[in-house]
Amino acid sequence: MDLQLLADYAIRIGISFICGLCLGIERKSRQHSVGIRTLVLISVTSCLLAILSIYMADTTKVPGDPTRIAAGVVTGIGFIGGGAIMRHGLNIRGITTAAIIFTAAGLGLACGAALYSPVAITMVAVAIVLFMMNKIEKKIFPAAKSKLCEIIFSSRKIPQEKISQIMLNYGFIIHDMNIEYQAEEKHTRLVFTTKAPDKLNLMEFTKEIEKLENIISFKLSDQVGEA
């Protein structure tokens, strides 16, 4: 093999390796299951498949449509991305990780085609989205996590307006409220479906709820179900 061609392939795979490494470090720094090794393998393998596509287009030794390999990568990577998406209670997690898996594949294909300028521009755009936009999004939309707030009282007398005010003061967004009265025990159960802020002072919030009259129990969780 020509040494110049070998060096070119090494550069392409090396840059794809760096792209996958950067994306993997970002995911691991946020404690996600898909991390460095996964994204490096996706990026490097996609680069290899892109090199194979170009080789097929440039030679008559391997017949066939070279664009099918790239199309197959884009289609197949969806299965890996789908595996990164999980439901945790009321919240769905892993969508951003699935998108990053798709990005790693795209960057790998572009590296395989020696499109270094688009790769560099894409990496800058991805860095802005993952680091800067994350902070801006949390600042504009602080209430991000879906939570169930369940409060049980010993009578029908419940301070509904006071509860709502306390929750609003702590940054909750109330989407829905359900009420249940248990005649035998004479208990009233309130369940709020809410969006809770990431930086919630849980201890102070709990102390405020504990001050309510006739309260028996309080629960704040992601899960749907009985207490």
Side-chain angles (χ1 to χ4, degrees):
M1 182 180 288
D2 187 356
L3 290 177
Q4 185 177 356
L5 183 61
L6 183 62
D8 181 42
Y9 288 161
I11 291 171
R12 298 184 193 191
I13 294 174
I15 294 175
S16 69
F17 179 93
I18 293 171
C19 291
L21 180 66
C22 292
L23 294 174
I25 291 173
E26 190 278 336
R27 285 293 86 188
K28 271 300 178 183
S29 67
R30 300 181 187 277
Q31 304 301 317
H32 287 272
S33 57
V34 174
I36 298 172
R37 290 178 299 172
T38 302
L39 291 172
V40 167
L41 287 172
I42 289 171
S43 184
V44 169
T45 304
S46 298
C47 178
L48 175 63
L49 292 173
I51 292 173
L52 176 60
S53 294
I54 296 169
Y55 175 78
M56 289 176 62
D58 291 341
T59 181
T60 57
K61 295 179 182 179
V62 184
D65 183 3
T67 61
R68 290 185 179 181
I69 293 179
V73 172
V74 174
T75 302
I77 207 68
F79 290 97
I80 301 176
I85 301 174
M86 299 176 290
R87 185 177 180 87
H88 185 76
L90 299 176
N91 298 287
I92 297 175
R93 297 179 180 176
I95 296 177
T96 301
T97 299
I100 289 176
I101 289 173
F102 188 73
T103 302
L107 288 168
L109 289 171
C111 289
L115 299 174
Y116 302 128
S117 295
V119 167
I121 295 169
T122 301
M123 282 301 295
V124 171
V126 169
I128 292 172
V129 169
L130 292 179
F131 294 100
M132 295 181 63
M133 292 300 292
N134 182 51
K135 295 179 181 179
I136 294 172
E137 185 177 2
K138 287 184 177 180
K139 189 172 183 180
I140 298 175
F141 305 102
K145 295 181 180 179
S146 296
K147 295 282 186 181
L148 280 181
C149 182
E150 179 186 289
I151 309 174
I152 299 178
F153 295 91
S154 60
S155 69
R156 290 186 178 181
K157 186 179 179 181
I158 54 174
Q160 181 181 337
E161 294 183 2
K162 190 173 181 179
I163 296 170
S164 299
Q165 189 59 51
I166 291 173
M167 296 181 75
L168 291 175
N169 290 342
Y170 279 86
F172 284 83
I173 298 176
I174 301 173
H175 288 306
D176 192 18
M177 186 195 78
N178 293 296
I179 187 169
E180 176 186 345
Y181 179 70
Q182 299 174 355
E184 294 182 3
E185 299 178 353
K186 295 183 180 180
H187 290 174
T188 303
R189 178 172 174 262
L190 281 180
V191 179
F192 294 89
T193 304
T194 70
K195 285 283 187 179
D198 286 331
K199 295 182 179 179
L200 172 64
N201 191 332
L202 188 56
M203 297 305 297
E204 292 297 324
F205 175 67
T206 303
K207 288 179 181 178
E208 290 291 331
I209 296 295
E210 286 177 349
K211 295 177 183 177
L212 298 172
E213 295 181 4
N214 302 322
I215 187 170
I216 294 176
S217 67
F218 162 71
K219 181 181 178 182
L220 183 67
S221 68
D222 296 328
Q223 303 299 321
V224 181
E226 296 294 328

